[in-house]
Amino acid sequence: MSDTTILEVKNLSTHFFTRAGSIKAADDVSFKIESGSTLALVGESGSGKSITSLSIMRLVPPPGEITQGEIIFDGRDLMKLDEEQMRRLRGREIAMIFQDPMTSLNPVYTVGDQIAEAIELHQRSPRKQAWAKAVEMMKRVRIPDAERRAKDYPHQLSGGMRQRVMIAMALSCNPKLLIADEPTTALDVTIQAEILELLRVLRDDFNLAMLLITHDLGVVAEAADRVAVMYAGRIVEEGSVTDLFNIPRHPYTEGLLRSVPRPTDASKRRRLQTIEGVVPNLLHLPPGCKFAPRCAYVIKDCTQGDIELLAAGGDHSARCIRLAIVGDESAKTHPERARSGKEGDG
């Protein structure tokens, strides 16, 4: 794994300006990804994950607008590039795959033609050479009988095969960064595992940096090196997969981990635990910590002002005021207290 930072997002904010008011879909988001590594962006639906990825690609739909921040990709600030420069960069240096390949593939062209078209466009390859590269990439993503299947239309392929075609298309121009937005959500569990293993192998083969957008912590455990947890448009915790799963430092992360079903739960007749309350309305966010209305550890200081990401040991950080309270044992996180549902005083 390389320690070369290929993407660094600094203080990125994307707002949607509606008649009802301004919606902070992504609010002061910062993270970085090294070549050959995978960062997972995790959170509930509406937390800002996909908008963050679209912001990196400069594809935010109206009335959305990137209001501040830097997107440093391979030494260049993407915010300073014009649309023509971004168009040349998309697909060639930054590629993206989506959760539903059927909506991304054109139903009237063969899958081989669609992969070859991307190669022709970005690498200016002759048609015959582009087709050969398309078949080669289909073989790389383990599509059997690739020469024949390249002549198939999307509807003739299974969901898993269509997703492999999308991965082949994304990697056909040797990008430096791959953004995978819920790439396994529409697939059954067995195919999910195959796609995740394929992404891991291809990441290592191509020395890719990967941004994995997901709400599935099982996918995170399988595929990521680091995790950034988003809530109400902000990153509330970031750390290595090991640290975050073993020692979660933000109550929201604790809640996500507690809500994952475990095989022992059924045998012990243990009820699946949930996070009380609902995600706040982005038009009317609560003051201070956005998670405070749902938090079992909430204290008065949680709602008094903005809370920064605070160091939680090593390269682990969390947006929780408990980490700033010297000597407060709750800053170390008490999973047993969280499981009991009892409120703490700090």
Side-chain angles (χ1 to χ4, degrees), residues 32 34 225-227 237-241 243 310-318:
K32 62 183 179 179
E34 282 76 35
D225 302 300
R226 293 185 58 78
V227 195
E237 184 164 5
E238 184 181 354
S240 69
V241 169
D243 286 348
L310 301 170
D315 57 357
H316 193 171
S317 59

Side-chain angles (χ1 to χ4, degrees), residues 112-113 116-117 119-120 124-136:
D113 280 331
E117 182 183 27
I119 297 167
E120 285 183 87
R124 304 188 186 279
S125 300
R127 177 65 183 173
K128 188 174 181 179
Q129 186 178 331
W131 179 267
K133 178 73 179 292
V135 172
E136 178 194 336

Side-chain angles (χ1 to χ4, degrees), residues 81-343:
L81 302 186
D82 60 32
E83 183 52 37
E84 179 58 32
Q85 290 172 313
M86 280 301 303
R87 191 178 294 115
R88 289 199 299 267
L89 184 139
R90 296 186 196 111
R92 183 168 61 182
E93 296 187 57
I94 303 178
M96 194 166 184
I97 55 176
F98 300 91
Q99 60 178 296
D100 185 5
M102 203 58 185
T103 61
S104 303
L105 293 169
N106 192 321
V108 301
Y109 292 99
T110 66
V111 294
D113 280 331
Q114 294 183 60
I115 299 172
E117 182 183 27
I119 297 167
E120 285 183 87
L121 176 64
H122 293 295
Q123 296 190 333
R124 304 188 186 279
S125 300
R127 177 65 183 173
K128 188 174 181 179
Q129 186 178 331
W131 179 267
K133 178 73 179 292
V135 172
E136 178 194 336
M137 288 307 301
M138 290 179 69
K139 291 178 181 177
R140 290 290 294 271
V141 298
R142 303 174 187 170
I143 293 178
D145 198 5
E147 291 88 349
R148 180 176 65 84
R149 301 315 295 262
K151 299 174 184 176
D152 284 347
Y153 292 88
H155 73 272
Q156 295 176 282
L157 302 177
S158 67
M161 286 297 171
R162 287 195 293 266
Q163 193 62 283
R164 289 171 190 267
V165 168
M166 288 302 301
I167 295 170
M169 189 184 302
L171 299 184
S172 61
C173 297
N174 301 315
K176 297 175 182 178
L177 172 66
L178 176 65
I179 300 175
D181 191 353
E182 303 276 10
T184 61
T185 297
L187 307 175
D188 65 53
V189 175
T190 305
I191 304 302
Q192 275 189 25
E194 292 178 5
I195 294 297
L196 289 175
E197 172 61 21
L198 176 62
L199 286 173
R200 274 200 305 272
V201 170
L202 293 173
R203 180 197 66 182
D204 295 340
D205 288 350
F206 288 84
N207 195 33
L208 278 170
M210 191 182 304
L211 177 61
L212 178 63
I213 313 291
T214 184
H215 63 272
D216 188 335
L217 291 172
V219 169
V220 173
E222 285 290 321
D225 302 300
R226 293 185 58 78
V227 195
V229 180
M230 290 194 76
Y231 182 79
R234 308 198 84 180
I235 290 179
V236 296
E237 184 164 5
E238 184 181 354
S240 69
V241 169
T242 302
D243 286 348
L244 192 132
F245 274 62
N246 291 334
I247 317 171
R249 294 304 184 97
H250 195 281
Y252 178 59
T253 311
E254 287 184 25
L256 289 178
L257 291 168
R258 290 201 312 274
S259 65
V260 176
R262 293 173 175 80
T264 55
D265 290 345
S267 62
K268 295 181 180 179
R269 298 186 178 181
R270 185 180 295 154
R271 293 185 65 181
L272 184 64
Q273 297 192 46
T274 60
I275 302 174
E276 297 297 326
V278 295
V279 177
N281 184 335
L282 294 182
L283 282 169
H284 306 289
L285 290 168
C289 177
K290 311 311 176 194
F291 188 67
R294 307 174 69 184
C295 183
Y297 305 114
V298 65
I299 59 174
K300 185 178 179 181
D301 287 350
C302 295
T303 59
Q304 297 305 301
D306 193 34
I307 298 170
E308 300 295 324
L309 275 168
L310 301 170
D315 57 357
H316 193 171
S317 59
R319 199 179 295 275
C320 182
I321 201 169
R322 294 179 298 150
L323 294 171
I325 301 174
V326 178
D328 181 3
E329 284 300 308
S330 68
K332 298 177 182 176
T333 302
H334 290 290
E336 72 281 356
R337 184 171 70 178
R339 282 195 294 269
S340 70
K342 295 177 182 177
E343 288 196 7

